[in-house]
Amino acid sequence: DAGITQSPRYKITETGRQVTLMCHQTWSHSYMFWYRQDLGHGLRLIYYSAAADITDKGEVPDGYVVSRSKTENFPLTLESATRSQTSVYFCASKGQLPYEQYFGPGTRLTVT
Amino acid sequence: DQQVKQNSPSLSVQEGRISILNCDYTNSMFDYFLWYKKYPAEGPTFLISISSIKDKNEDGRFTVFLNKSAKHLSLHIVPSQPGDSAVYFCAANGNNAGNMLTFGGGTRLMVKP
């Protein structure tokens, strides 16, 4: 399917476990982003990537790790999940226009 | 410190009337402002934008107004339709090297039939 996809869509995990959220885009966009959505905070940037093998921290990077070995994939890993990481996670990529981002459908993560 | 704020968490409007969603920002370096719309269980989708060199941009039923001196922008939806019921996020792009967007907290719009 064309566009940007995320998997899994829903995930329940326990405190202390490692979790990886997947993001895949078919447009070959250079820039990709990971956000978390929490009530009252809107969307906050966790990490972003300008190209394969180039990543940088966003506003709330603590507890997360990213990698980007291929342009189309941008996985987000929670190394040791905590309850405060319960959230909805969105992946996005930037198109040709200077400001527009395309978002995936999101992953709802619950840490018990 | 939130650089982009949407002070109204929710708004209820009758179908056919005008919806006005507001957004305030603090960073005078922002040069593009965007509105995204989000339905439940879906990702946000781009709705409309405005450059800091303009004060108004219109696209069908949607108009965004920018008041740079007040650091305020608003989204007007006329006429409102039940399908417009969603969460609306205001965002700003500071023309930074990372092409990052800073989002507000969102406003949930409910349009009653």
Side-chain angles (χ1 to χ4, degrees), chain B residues 30-112:
Chain B
F30 288 144
D31 64 350
Y32 263 110
F33 302 88
L34 306 88
W35 285 93
Y36 279 80
K37 178 178 181 179
K38 184 186 177 305
Y39 291 118
E42 295 183 10
T45 56
F46 170 75
L47 185 59
I48 192 169
S49 65
I50 187 167
S51 165
S52 60
I53 62 173
K54 296 185 176 181
D55 56 16
K56 177 183 175 181
N57 187 27
E58 191 172 351
D59 183 1
R61 296 186 297 114
F62 302 91
T63 303
V64 56
F65 296 92
L66 175 62
N67 183 333
K68 285 182 65 178
S69 61
K71 294 190 176 69
H72 177 83
L73 66 156
S74 61
L75 174 67
H76 292 211
I77 306 173
V78 183
S80 301
Q81 299 174 353
D84 295 330
S85 297
V87 176
Y88 290 79
F89 291 101
C90 169
N93 178 312
N95 199 25
N96 49 69
N99 289 281
M100 294 181 284
L101 292 176
T102 301
F103 285 84
T107 296
R108 181 178 299 279
L109 173 65
M110 293 163 284
V111 180
K112 299 177 183 176

